[in-house]
Amino acid sequence: MLAENLFISKTTTLFNNTLAALETLHIAFCFDDNYAMPAGIAMSSVILNNPNKNLVFHLFVNNVSNEKIQRFNQLNKANASIICYEISNEFSINPDTLVLHVSASTCLRFVVPQILNKVTSRVLYLDCDVLCINNLDELVSTDLTNKFSAVVPDIGKTQEKQCVACDIPYGEYFNAGMIYINTDMWVEHNLTDKAFSMINSGKVYKFADQDVLNILMQGQTVFLPRHFNTITALTVGGNEDSLIEANTAIIHYVTGNKPWYQLYITPLYQHYIATSPWANQKLSLANENAPSTTRRYAKLLASKHQYFKAFKYYILYLKHKAFKK
């Protein structure tokens, strides 16, 4: 079995606050320097919508600057705690497995339940590209007896391809952006070791860690309603906020079109930025790895007869494309 702290070089408690009589919810995020701000906004949204819980955030950070770590101190609330786990140089993932621009940091979730089992039997893992817009009471009351986790099935298009690829019955392939984990079961079945063995075996998994987790947990998960992981793909000039149902607890922004880019920001996400310590953060125009998004915006503006703005964004697209090269 892997040593529990093999991949952790340093653990730091930013602050530790507890209110008597409140239930405690442990939440884990894993990210590198590029995702520090989105992680913070996601955390801020959880705090705003869950005042009836003590919230302990466990941040597994990979090469995140001290300046960005210090910003998390501004989330200091009476019912919130933050613990940072800095990842050591021992952490590595077979690069051949990381297709579709998947970051190695996403595989940090393999160590989360193993390390946190000493402090909690339940932990909520969340991707950084999520927003919590309702309380999580129903989620944390889920019975995980003899189950690895509570999850939400992925969308139909993904099911069709990945159920076959992973040899999983249709409808049982889950999206790993939200996983409520039974850490006791995880440790008992040594899933950390098994997950790293699979991801580094040389076999290429299309969705990397997500495929591995689906295979390892098959048949031993609780499936939750979609409002606990509402998968949303943003579009240029879209109106995705209008599609969010009132009972939605967690919105998960998939694809490279993230709401912290100017071209994709939604009024709802803007609201949560404004109420967070990142309110004055300058937002990038678009994903620097996808210059075509600027071209699509120029085309949208032209269709609305906003030709001057369309020309401006087309020039930005050309610069963006040239810079990428």
Side-chain angles (χ1 to χ4, degrees), residues 38-186:
I41 294 167
M43 291 164 64
S44 180
S45 71
V46 172
I47 293 170
L48 284 171
N49 289 293
N50 294 274
N52 62 328
K53 297 178 184 64
N54 287 315
L55 302 166
V56 183
F57 294 100
H58 301 270
L59 310 184
F60 291 77
V61 299
N62 189 17
N63 295 317
V64 178
S65 71
N66 186 61
E67 178 185 1
K68 290 185 179 179
I69 292 295
Q70 291 307 310
R71 181 75 67 93
F72 289 100
N73 278 301
Q74 296 179 42
L75 292 172
N76 196 333
K77 304 293 180 183
N79 66 325
S81 304
I82 295 182
I83 305 168
C84 284
Y85 306 80
E86 295 184 28
I87 304 304
S88 73
N89 293 330
E90 297 296 323
F91 176 77
S92 64
I93 298 297
N94 180 359
D96 293 335
T97 300
L98 301 176
V99 295
L100 299 179
H101 303 294
V102 172
S103 165
S105 296
T106 190
C107 296
L108 289 173
R109 74 187 84 187
F110 291 162
V111 307
V112 169
Q114 183 78 28
I115 291 174
L116 297 187
N117 182 243
K118 286 189 175 181
V119 297
T120 179
S121 64
R122 303 288 186 269
V123 61
L124 174 62
Y125 167 83
L126 292 174
D127 275 354
C128 299
D129 53 357
V130 305
L131 205 56
C132 176
I133 62 172
N134 265 312
N135 73 70
L136 300 173
D137 292 346
E138 183 185 348
L139 173 61
V140 299
S141 66
T142 304
D143 183 7
L144 293 183
T145 304
N146 297 321
K147 300 292 184 181
F148 284 123
S149 62
V151 293
V152 174
D154 215 321
I155 59 175
K157 184 177 180 180
T158 303
Q159 295 277 351
E160 292 171 4
K161 295 181 179 180
Q162 296 313 106
C163 285
V164 174
C166 299
D167 193 22
I168 292 173
Y170 182 84
E172 295 185 14
Y173 182 90
F174 62 83
N175 181 278
M178 185 291 298
I179 315 176
Y180 188 45
I181 303 171
N182 179 340
T183 66
D184 290 338
M185 276 276 289
W186 180 287

Side-chain angles (χ1 to χ4, degrees), residues 4 14 16 109 151 184 204 217 231 233 248 280 287 297 302 309:
E4 290 181 13
L14 297 188
N16 185 10
R109 74 187 84 187
V151 293
D184 290 338
V204 175
M217 295 185 183
I231 295 173
T248 296
N280 297 320
N287 186 338
Y297 190 58
K309 288 182 67 176

